[in-house]
Amino acid sequence: MWGPGKEAAGAGPGSPTPVPTTTPNPSSAPEDGSAPEVTGHLQEIYYNLCMEKSQKINSFILHILQEVDEELAKGSEGITLNIAGNSRLMPEERVTGKDFWILFRILKKNPYISGLDIRYNLISDVGAYYAARLLQKNTTLKYLRMTGNKIENKGGMFFAAMLQINSSLEKLDLGDCDLGMQSVIAFATVLTQNQTIKGINLNRPILYGEQEESTVHLGHMLKENHCVVELQVCKHNIKNCGMKQLCDALYLNRSLRYLDVSCNKITCDGMVCLADVLKSNTTLEVLDLSFNRIENAGAKHLSETLASHNRSLRALSVVSNNIQGEGLVALSQSMKTNPTLSNVYIWGNQFDEATCVAYSDLIQMGRLKPDNTDVEPFVVDGHVYLAEVSNGLKKHYYWRPTYGEACTNSPNAGFTLVPVGGHL
């Protein structure tokens, strides 16, 4: 079993990953030489550290720390530090690994911060090293979102090694971070033992080859792990063989409630395996099959199981799966006998008039609530059509409203139904 090195570096078969042996040496001072206004405890610490290390003051970080200081003054605990790079408040220069080095020193002993959202910044593997070290030093941090930071395989190995030690983190989001095969396998291996992580996002790694090796390891993890509630493996190049690996694990797994296998290469043969396991699986509640190619045959397999057997699935997305009217109508019919399935998302398939009528009827009779689907019926010249509405399992995952948060939970139904760190 591979383990962390002296500074929590991941090492193992296939060449160890070295850790930076010296602290990065930031060298830029504030551009205009002026001192920004500093009014709170964390602001003061951040400002003094930047001055001490000749690091340029990041005005956005200073602004966020001011908000945290205000919350701390009110006696708040369990605060999420939101330094997302896609925020409308973000200045031109995003947070870098050097900035995170300063944040690491501020947060490592702060017991009031429970969540850290630093998505879509410029944090590389060096920043990932300090983020992993933070999670070894700080035992109150429960949620970390790194989405969109290109930490690559090396950075992923730092986090995988950290999970061997950390016993507080509940959700880790490393989607779109350019992870490699080695780090994905490392996460799957570590999670066979880690009993704290409830949600992990490994979307869009950089994988080569056609053997679906990562899916084999993730399937093994699901057989052994009894704590993971949410697993996101979008864009893993999963085909029917890989889907069978995951389905074989779901016969034994009794904890997973949210499975995202969107944007893969799963066809109707994979749905045969999935439909069969859904007959006996009683824990899976949210299933995202968007942007695969299950077609009519796959939709019918799911419909038969949902109509007659499964009573645990609450949300299903089959967006853009090349399903035609026959398959879409079959899914609508299953809702008439299945009292549990409440959310269905079908946009991007091939609608005929029978499809439009079927889903219009479900909405009109109250079986399918308007907020629980991504289509809305309208009538032109006596014919029923369906229009798209902005609802989904995670519409605001990659983007957010210009001002404030989403008005309702309908655009983020998956995280509403299975709220594992959903506020990140």
Side-chain angles (χ1 to χ4, degrees):
M1 182 68 175
W2 54 270
K6 187 174 182 180
E7 291 288 352
S15 75
T17 304
V19 181
T21 56
T22 59
T23 302
N25 184 24
S27 59
S28 54
E31 289 179 345
D32 57 3
S34 61
E37 181 181 1
V38 177
T39 58
H41 178 63
L42 291 181
Q43 275 188 301
E44 183 178 356
I45 295 174
Y46 174 70
Y47 177 81
N48 290 338
L49 278 172
C50 286
M51 292 298 98
E52 176 188 343
K53 302 299 180 182
S54 299
Q55 167 76 354
K56 188 176 77 171
I57 302 290
N58 186 308
S59 59
F60 183 63
I61 293 178
L62 202 64
H63 171 77
I64 296 298
L65 291 179
Q66 178 185 1
E67 294 182 344
V68 174
D69 281 329
E70 291 171 358
E71 289 297 316
L72 292 175
K74 298 175 185 177
S76 301
E77 296 183 2
I79 299 170
T80 295
L81 192 62
N82 188 339
I83 316 179
N86 60 348
S87 168
R88 61 186 173 84
L89 298 174
M90 175 60 73
E92 291 183 5
E93 186 174 355
R94 297 186 176 184
V95 176
T96 66
K98 294 179 180 180
D99 292 318
F100 199 86
W101 170 52
I102 300 291
L103 283 174
F104 159 71
R105 299 186 61 169
I106 294 173
L107 299 177
K108 64 181 180 180
K109 294 182 180 179
N110 191 305
Y112 305 106
I113 306 296
S114 64
L116 182 57
D117 184 352
I118 49 176
R119 65 185 127 161
Y120 299 110
N121 282 296
L122 300 175
I123 297 172
S124 62
D125 57 332
V126 174
Y129 165 67
Y130 286 110
R133 282 191 62 191
L134 172 62
L135 289 164
Q136 291 180 347
K137 302 287 184 181
N138 186 311
T139 59
T140 61
L141 202 64
K142 295 184 179 296
Y143 309 109
L144 175 62
R145 182 167 183 183
M146 292 282 294
T147 320
N149 290 286
K150 305 307 180 183
I151 65 173
E152 300 183 340
N153 190 69
K154 187 175 181 181
M157 292 299 288
F158 293 148
F159 280 109
M162 172 274 298
L163 290 181
Q164 290 185 296
I165 300 172
N166 180 278
S167 59
S168 62
L169 194 68
E170 294 181 4
K171 180 161 184 178
L172 177 61
D173 190 331
L174 296 176
D176 196 23
C177 285
D178 289 2
L179 301 177
M181 179 69 79
Q182 183 188 20
S183 56
V184 171
I185 292 175
F187 280 114
T189 303
V190 169
L191 288 175
T192 60
Q193 301 296 323
N194 182 292
Q195 299 298 306
T196 308
I197 288 287
K198 295 180 180 178
I200 188 162
N201 184 327
L202 300 173
N203 287 350
R204 209 209 69 117
I206 305 298
L207 304 177
Y208 299 98
E210 299 293 327
Q211 300 304 313
E212 301 188 73
E213 186 178 357
S214 64
T215 315
V216 173
H217 288 270
L218 288 168
H220 176 70
M221 179 273 290
L222 288 175
K223 291 178 181 179
E224 300 293 328
N225 184 290
H226 301 290
C227 292
V228 169
V229 172
E230 174 192 324
L231 176 63
Q232 298 197 42
V233 285
C234 167
K235 298 182 181 178
H236 268 243
N237 199 31
I238 298 173
K239 297 184 280 293
N240 293 326
C241 181
M243 192 63 198
K244 184 179 186 305
Q245 295 284 344
L246 295 178
C247 289
D248 287 346
L250 290 177
Y251 283 108
L252 302 176
N253 183 281
R254 289 295 178 266
S255 66
L256 193 69
R257 295 170 56 198
Y258 189 135
L259 177 61
D260 178 1
V261 288
S262 60
C263 301
N264 283 294
K265 298 180 179 179
I266 304 166
T267 70
C268 61
D269 289 341
M271 292 304 97
V272 173
C273 301
L274 181 60
D276 191 57
V277 74
L278 286 177
K279 292 178 181 179
S280 57
N281 182 282
T282 59
T283 54
L284 197 63
E285 296 180 16
V286 177
L287 178 60
D288 192 346
L289 292 166
S290 307
F291 302 99
N292 283 283
R293 200 174 181 84
I294 70 172
E295 302 183 323
N296 276 351
K300 287 182 179 179
H301 288 305
L302 285 177
S303 301
E304 291 167 5
T305 293
L306 293 173
S308 305
H309 301 281
N310 184 277
R311 291 298 181 266
S312 63
L313 198 69
R314 301 167 66 187
L316 171 67
S317 177
V318 291
V319 169
S320 297
N321 264 275
N322 198 36
I323 306 172
Q324 298 173 338
E326 187 179 355
L328 294 169
V329 170
L331 283 173
S332 73
Q333 292 297 319
S334 69
M335 293 195 72
K336 294 181 178 180
T337 57
N338 185 319
T340 310
L341 187 63
S342 60
N343 297 59
V344 174
Y345 305 95
I346 62 170
W347 187 258
N349 292 293
Q350 300 179 37
F351 299 165
D352 59 9
E353 188 163 5
T355 300
C356 298
V357 170
Y359 285 88
S360 176
D361 289 347
L362 285 177
I363 294 171
Q364 294 297 327
M365 70 176 62
R367 175 62 188 88
L368 182 59
K369 295 181 179 180
D371 282 349
N372 292 350
T373 186
D374 57 350
V375 293
E376 181 180 22
F378 65 98
V379 179
V380 177
D381 295 334
H383 295 281
V384 180
Y385 298 91
L386 296 176
E388 183 184 22
V389 292
S390 294
N391 297 334
L393 292 179
K394 51 179 183 179
K395 282 282 186 179
H396 290 165
Y397 181 76
Y398 289 108
W399 58 276
R400 60 201 309 179
T402 304
Y403 293 95
E405 297 300 325
C407 297
T408 67
N409 290 326
S410 55
N412 295 301
F415 296 139
T416 302
L417 295 171
V418 183
V420 179
H423 61 286
L424 288 180

